Amino acid sequence: MMTQRVIGNWKLNGSRQMVSSVLTEIVKAGFGDNVAVCVPFPYLELADQIVKGSSIQIGAQDVSQYHAGAYTGEVAAHMVREMGGQLTLIGHSERRAYFAETPSTLEMKVEQASDAGLFIVFCVGEDLGVRQRGQAVEYVLDQLTMMQALNPDSFAVAYEPVWAIGTGLTATAEQISAMHNAIKEYMGQTVSVLYGGSVKAANAADILAIDGVDGLLVGGASLQTDEFIAIGRCAKVS
Ligand code: PGA
């Protein structure tokens, strides 16, 4: 059994004070390197300082598709690495929807993150219309095509049905297991597949027990220290 990862995604939330208090508690909980928190860029260095001496990993929520140059407002993958980031999300559905990220942009971001030595959590997922039309698996596998050439040790897939993010709805065990196993069949059995979408302490253990689930990507519940620690404790560590 693979060690299960639990990754918090703070999105556009937090403050210096919150980084200090939440991460200090997470460190005290004594987690291994299977637990990570993705904070907004300005807090990477502070977060890295707080988790130093522990195994907790710090990550970013996105990186630029560019390395350097006249790209105002962008943050490069190598800068994230320099500030102590060990991983980054790429392709989160909010980035795809609100910031018009296309597969070709994502491909460039993946290359930048790989070159910088960041572990990638590549997010995929269908919206409700696609699921209702019975095309969810085909849609998600298509999103993953660009990842097929990568070493499976350098990334994880996060399956997050768009209709389950921040809505309180979670996919059923059957839906999760069918999708995760389809992803593994397509990408190779060793690829790690996380589930995300309204994960909380109350459903984490049940989701982690589903066949094919190698971890969780946690949004809203990662902002509450007790919730996130309780979720982290549900992960199996081999
Ligand atoms: P949620 O978000 O846990 O708040 O649904 C998950 C995510 O967007 O990664």
Side-chain angles (χ1 to χ4, degrees):
M1 147 111 247
M2 238 189 239
T3 290
Q4 293 178 314
R5 290 176 191 272
V6 173
I7 302 178
N9 171 15
W10 279 20
K11 309 190 181 185
L12 183 53
N13 296 291
S15 61
R16 284 183 67 84
Q17 200 278 327
M18 188 171 150
V19 170
S20 302
S21 61
V22 175
L23 290 183
T24 301
E25 289 307 311
I26 292 173
V27 168
K28 277 195 212 149
F31 291 120
D33 63 4
N34 62 317
V35 171
V37 181
C38 296
V39 296
F41 292 129
Y43 302 128
L44 281 169
E45 190 174 19
L46 175 63
D48 179 51
Q49 282 165 9
I50 293 170
V51 303
K52 250 198 184 80
S54 81
S55 303
I56 315 289
Q57 301 214 332
I58 295 300
Q61 301 166 17
D62 184 34
V63 291
S64 177
Q65 67 266 43
Y66 303 112
H67 183 80
Y71 301 106
T72 303
E74 290 291 275
V75 176
H78 60 90
M79 297 172 180
V80 169
R81 190 80 194 91
E82 197 182 1
M83 290 295 106
Q86 286 151 296
L87 66 142
T88 187
L89 310 182
I90 292 183
H92 191 282
S93 61
E94 288 154 13
R95 300 290 322 165
R96 295 178 194 253
Y98 307 146
F99 302 93
E101 292 191 353
T102 62
S104 60
T105 319
L106 297 180
E107 210 161 355
M108 291 167 75
K109 290 183 180 220
V110 165
E111 195 179 332
Q112 288 297 323
S114 296
D115 288 353
L118 293 174
F119 183 83
I120 297 168
V121 178
F122 191 76
C123 306
V124 294
E126 79 289 354
D127 65 24
L128 198 53
V130 171
R131 168 133 321 252
Q132 283 168 343
R133 287 196 295 279
Q135 295 165 341
V137 169
E138 181 188 335
Y139 183 90
V140 164
L141 298 189
D142 185 55
Q143 289 181 316
L144 281 170
T145 305
M146 74 176 71
M147 301 301 283
Q148 279 190 311
L150 256 76
N151 176 347
D153 292 340
S154 66
F155 73 96
V157 174
Y159 169 55
E160 300 197 297
V162 176
W163 48 271
I165 295 178
T167 58
L169 300 172
T170 47
T172 65
E174 290 70 31
Q175 289 169 329
I176 296 173
S177 166
M179 184 64 82
H180 283 225
N181 285 308
I183 292 171
K184 284 170 188 275
E185 235 164 74
Y186 188 62
M187 302 294 291
Q189 292 298 325
T190 59
V191 78
S192 176
V193 187
L194 320 182
Y195 174 80
S198 299
V199 172
K200 41 189 187 289
N203 61 19
D206 286 345
I207 298 173
L208 285 166
I210 298 169
D211 177 49
V213 174
D214 303 310
L216 300 169
L217 181 55
V218 185
S222 71
L223 299 168
Q224 295 163 44
T225 317
D226 293 349
E227 275 281 304
F228 188 68
I229 290 174
I231 295 168
R233 292 217 165 103
C234 296
K236 292 181 195 72
V237 179
S238 65

